[in-house]
Amino acid sequence: MKALARGAMEAGAAGVMIAPPPGLRGDDAVVAYIAQAAEAVGDAPYVLQDYPQATGIFMSAEMIRRMAENPRLVMLKAEDNPGLDKLTALRRMTAEGRMRRIAILGGNGGQFLVEELQRGADGIMTGYAVPEMLDRVCRLVSAGDHAAAHDLFDLHLPLIRYELQPVLGLAVRKHVLARRGIIASAALRAPGRS
């Protein structure tokens, strides 16, 4: 982990992402692992990836608050699904002065973009074949035009869901990007499907 982080930072990365590995049991074990991982990556700022569907580790808002005591934790990639209540709880803790503010980016394929933004997310960290829509929705929510944000987002929701299919989803996204002339080829590396 130390070597990978050092190499990434030397290559120009702004930080690294850390997630708890499967198999940890109990809040204290998860918090301790993240603290050890943060120490291992040296001076690198880091993003905490909260993705229980992949790791099997549920991180409560309180656990994240504890981890955010390390000033190098600069962002949460919120992929818990559903995780909207957790976003609300984290922003409430910040407002109450119980937690310093960290950036939050939604990472559920954009499925809950408007709702995540309304609950305090700063944006999203996801892919989609029409990224300019994601940007426009973020701008509309920021301007307070929630109805227009929902209307625009709802037009795209069928394609967002279609892209999120297991196994085939990335092939769909790349196909659309190629048809739009944004990328030259829709080919996927193995084991991706065409």
Side-chain angles (χ1 to χ4, degrees):
M1 188 181 286
K2 185 175 190 172
L4 287 171
R6 185 180 328 112
M9 296 304 288
E10 287 172 359
V16 298
M17 186 156 53
I18 299 173
L24 295 176
R25 297 289 176 250
D27 294 6
D28 291 339
V30 174
V31 172
Y33 173 85
I34 296 298
Q36 291 168 351
E39 186 176 318
V41 301
D43 296 356
Y46 64 95
V47 174
L48 175 64
Q49 184 180 25
D50 181 15
Y51 192 16
Q53 302 88 295
T55 64
I57 305 292
F58 174 79
M59 291 188 277
S60 68
E62 176 57 25
M63 290 170 66
I64 294 167
R65 184 204 61 76
R66 289 172 57 193
M67 290 182 248
E69 291 173 4
N70 184 328
R72 287 185 299 110
L73 171 53
V74 296
M75 184 181 300
L76 173 69
K77 184 176 183 190
E79 296 182 270
D80 193 355
N81 190 357
L84 297 173
D85 289 343
K86 190 182 299 185
L87 296 183
T88 300
L90 290 168
R91 289 306 188 218
R92 184 179 311 117
M93 283 188 236
T94 299
E96 294 170 351
R98 297 179 16 217
M99 176 181 166
R100 70 178 177 81
R101 189 183 195 289
I102 60 172
I104 298 174
L105 296 181
N108 280 311
Q111 296 175 87
F112 305 102
L113 173 58
V114 179
E115 292 85 357
E116 288 170 344
L117 294 171
Q118 290 172 328
R119 290 183 182 233
D122 298 291
I124 58 173
M125 180 189 283
T126 192
Y128 177 55
V130 190
E132 61 272 23
M133 179 279 296
L134 302 173
D135 177 63
R136 180 75 179 134
V137 167
C138 289
R139 290 175 190 276
L140 287 166
V141 171
S142 181
D145 196 347
H146 298 265
H150 273 287
D151 288 346
L152 176 58
F153 180 77
D154 290 348
L155 289 172
H156 287 260
L157 195 51
L159 182 55
I160 289 171
R161 287 181 177 152
Y162 196 71
E163 275 192 9
L164 289 172
Q165 294 178 83
V167 183
L168 190 59
L170 186 56
V172 171
R173 180 178 305 150
K174 289 191 79 173
H175 174 78
V176 174
L177 288 168
R179 291 285 304 263
R180 295 184 68 208
I182 295 171
I183 60 175
S185 170
L188 291 179
R189 293 184 302 271
R193 298 246 176 115
S194 60

